[in-house]
Amino acid sequence: MRINRSIPDATIIPVLGYADVHEAADWLCRAFGFRPRLRIGDHRIQLVYGDGAMVVTDAGPESGEQLPRQSVMVRVGDADAHHVQAAAAGARIVREPASWPYGERQYSALDPGGHLWTFTQTVADADPASWGGELVEP
């Protein structure tokens, strides 16, 4: 898998929504020993623990549709091929594959239980500072 400074190196990354992103991240670091890796504006903070990672987010809806506040991000080798496979199996695609300035190509889908999944393919090593992120720990 390609390296990208804008995303944790973990393969599976839980994304948890909180009312106050900074308060939640501070608490998770104090209580559970996580460390901040990357701050993204006021709405998202990547945390790491050992070789694992998670994202704390405000999980505000990006469209008019109300999506779950918790999701799972999975790093894949080919987001477009994965998207075709998921759609053929009946996944409800809520965001078509798109490439982003942070060096990832992603799509999102809901599973039969209503859980939100984002599948992400690294397409470039993007310096977080180039798109508004602040790398705290490489």
Side-chain angles (χ1 to χ4, degrees):
M1 195 153 313
R2 291 178 73 171
I3 302 278
N4 179 4
R5 291 169 282 171
S6 294
I7 189 166
D9 210 15
T11 302
I12 298 175
I13 305 165
V15 181
L16 302 178
Y18 291 90
D20 185 318
V21 173
H22 293 280
E23 181 180 299
D26 289 345
W27 188 90
L28 290 165
C29 290
R30 249 188 352 269
F32 297 150
F34 283 91
R35 295 181 324 276
R37 180 188 176 279
L38 178 67
R39 291 186 183 95
I40 304 165
D42 287 332
H43 67 283
R44 188 172 287 249
I45 299 174
Q46 295 175 1
L47 302 176
V48 292
Y49 186 95
D51 60 359
M54 69 174 290
V55 177
V56 176
T57 181
D58 66 4
E62 294 179 9
S63 67
E65 182 178 6
Q66 184 66 29
L67 296 175
R69 289 177 55 90
Q70 287 77 29
S71 65
V72 179
M73 187 177 339
V74 180
R75 296 184 75 195
V76 297
D78 184 336
D80 292 304
H82 197 278
H83 168 261
V84 169
Q85 173 186 325
R92 183 168 156 233
I93 307 301
V94 296
R95 188 173 65 204
E96 294 292 328
S99 294
W100 299 92
Y102 45 86
E104 296 296 305
R105 182 158 180 80
Q106 301 176 329
Y107 81 93
S108 296
L110 291 172
D111 69 15
H115 303 103
L116 181 63
W117 295 78
T118 296
F119 296 92
T120 186
Q121 170 191 355
T122 296
V123 294
D125 177 17
D127 179 355
S130 71
W131 52 264
E134 176 194 354
L135 190 60
V136 178
E137 177 178 305

